[in-house]
Amino acid sequence: GWVKRTTDLVLASAALVVCAVPMLAIALAIRCSSPGPVFFRQRRYGLDGKEILVWKFRSMRVLENGSTVTQASKDDPRVTPLGKFLRRTSLDELPQLWHVVGGSMSLVGPRPMIPGICERMDDDFRSIRQLAKPGVTGLWQISEDGTRLVLEATHYDERYVEWASPGLDLWIV
């Protein structure tokens, strides 16, 4: 645990320093390109099933944070033109580095699950996911199935929890 936490702190802190100017540019671009807040905040489940608030750069015209959340599709009309670029390059995820430094997330781990979607999973799967801190990236994101719907690709998160090691984290990063 201490190796993972130390690695998370060092790498996330370094990434925040390197990405500070690009993050400022992204924030300004979002502010200038569409009305609404720069950040999107959404309730998710983290380690031990505790609720966390995950921040991302806003990539859509609407903000959904209730019990009914519609997952974005490939050509979703709610996604802004800038948002399409941010999503394709995963730059919308950069604010999550603050969660890594704060300790509620890790650089690598299962994706933090949206409450409405998580309730549709079976109890065994939810229990396995809760054994690791959620990650900014993970096995699912780097797989060929990285663009699949949440319920179709969650088996990668289950595998990550079973196989977790510093070597696997390094390979994923």
Side-chain angles (χ1 to χ4, degrees):
W2 68 269
V3 171
K4 185 169 181 72
R5 181 68 184 135
T6 301
T7 303
D8 280 348
L9 278 172
V10 170
L11 293 179
S13 297
L16 282 169
V17 169
V18 170
C19 295
V21 172
M23 287 175 72
L24 180 59
I26 291 167
L28 290 171
I30 292 169
R31 176 59 84 196
C32 293
S33 67
S34 66
V38 169
F39 297 105
F40 167 71
R41 295 171 298 277
Q42 189 174 57
R43 292 177 307 109
R44 303 279 180 103
Y45 290 128
L47 183 65
D48 297 327
K50 291 180 183 160
E51 200 170 275
I52 60 174
L53 193 62
V54 174
W55 288 49
K56 298 170 83 170
F57 282 120
R58 183 176 55 83
S59 62
M60 300 176 81
R61 290 180 178 85
V62 297
L63 301 173
E64 295 178 331
N65 195 26
S67 59
T68 304
V69 177
T70 305
Q71 186 179 351
S73 59
K74 183 181 179 198
D75 295 316
D76 197 310
R78 300 172 297 166
V79 179
T80 65
L82 175 60
K84 286 180 185 177
F85 171 76
L86 294 175
R87 285 170 171 254
R88 187 174 54 249
T89 58
S90 296
L91 292 172
D92 62 324
E93 309 280 347
L94 286 176
Q96 293 178 34
L97 292 170
W98 288 108
H99 298 299
V100 175
V101 171
S104 63
M105 289 181 70
S106 181
L107 285 174
V108 180
R111 288 300 294 156
M113 292 304 294
I114 298 167
I117 293 174
C118 192
E119 275 76 24
R120 292 187 285 185
M121 297 176 180
D122 66 48
D123 291 338
D124 290 340
F125 183 73
R126 279 199 308 264
S127 297
I128 290 169
R129 291 184 61 86
Q130 296 172 6
L131 296 175
K133 280 185 188 177
V136 176
T137 191
L139 196 55
W140 167 9
Q141 288 78 10
I142 65 160
S143 72
E144 293 176 14
D145 292 339
T147 58
R148 298 187 83 161
L149 293 175
V150 172
L151 292 174
E152 295 174 353
T154 53
H155 62 277
Y156 286 103
D157 287 339
E158 188 175 30
R159 292 295 154 296
Y160 173 79
V161 172
E162 291 173 2
W163 302 336
S165 71
L168 178 60
D169 283 8
L170 183 61
W171 181 74
I172 291 171
V173 168

